[in-house]
Amino acid sequence: LSPGGTFRYDGDVLRLRELALLSLAAGPLAAHHSTAPFDMTHFTEVHGKVVQFRWQNPHSYIDLEVDGKLWLLEAESLNLLTRNGWTKDTLKPGDEITCTGGRAKDPSLRAMKCFIVTFPDGHQMKATPLNVPTKSELEKQLAPAKRGK
């Protein structure tokens, strides 16, 4: 309402439209998935065979069989994976991979946020934003801490 409590069609309707557009735009932001369920400070490695690679938005997923148990590995969006060289055919059922990432904080879950996928030939592909270090970079960062033990 305009000052004085009167309704002015021209200005008030425009303000209501702006408010409605802002609230619609904020919806997807609130719905974005968080990394909160994952321990992003301690890295875990799992090695196994790909059961399924789900190439989808908002996140892609790798179902990985590790020692007879199914793990769910969350990767990033199609846009980010594509920029990192991934395609829908990067992983196929039966492929052996190692994933380095942040394990679920709930230890009863076999799930993790996958940072880096390492293939048997040693090449690696990032499954997260570009500023995440590769496995060898992580090892270099962790090496001084391991020597101090």
Side-chain angles (χ1 to χ4, degrees):
L1 294 176
S2 299
T6 59
F7 181 81
R8 287 195 356 235
Y9 182 80
D10 57 344
D12 291 328
V13 168
L14 288 177
R15 274 189 232 114
L16 287 173
R17 283 184 189 163
E18 289 171 0
L19 183 60
L21 287 173
L22 283 173
S23 66
L24 286 174
L29 293 175
H32 181 77
H33 299 184
S34 169
T35 58
F38 303 104
D39 181 351
M40 303 294 280
T41 59
H42 299 95
F43 300 110
T44 300
E45 253 186 21
V46 292
H47 176 80
K49 286 189 179 188
V50 174
V51 174
Q52 182 180 15
F53 177 41
R54 289 180 271 152
W55 179 256
Q56 64 188 38
N57 277 318
H59 296 281
S60 292
Y61 293 92
I62 304 164
D63 296 333
L64 193 70
E65 184 181 331
V66 179
D67 297 327
K69 297 184 180 184
L70 192 63
W71 279 68
L72 177 64
L73 312 179
E74 180 180 294
E76 287 296 325
S77 68
L78 301 184
N79 184 28
L80 193 133
L81 290 176
T82 301
R83 284 187 276 147
N84 285 341
W86 291 72
T87 70
K88 64 181 178 60
D89 298 316
T90 297
L91 296 174
K92 295 176 185 64
D95 287 352
E96 285 196 31
I97 62 167
T98 300
C99 174
T100 305
R103 185 169 179 170
K105 290 177 184 173
D106 179 346
S108 69
L109 300 175
R110 289 183 302 275
M112 66 189 297
K113 181 76 172 170
C114 186
F115 302 152
I116 301 159
V117 171
T118 305
F119 295 86
D121 65 3
H123 89 275
Q124 298 177 333
M125 295 185 77
K126 291 185 179 184
T128 55
L130 297 174
N131 61 349
V132 173
T134 64
K135 183 178 173 187
S136 58
E137 292 167 340
L138 287 172
E139 288 170 350
K140 286 177 190 172
Q141 291 174 9
L142 296 175
K146 286 182 181 178
R147 282 194 297 266
K149 286 186 175 180

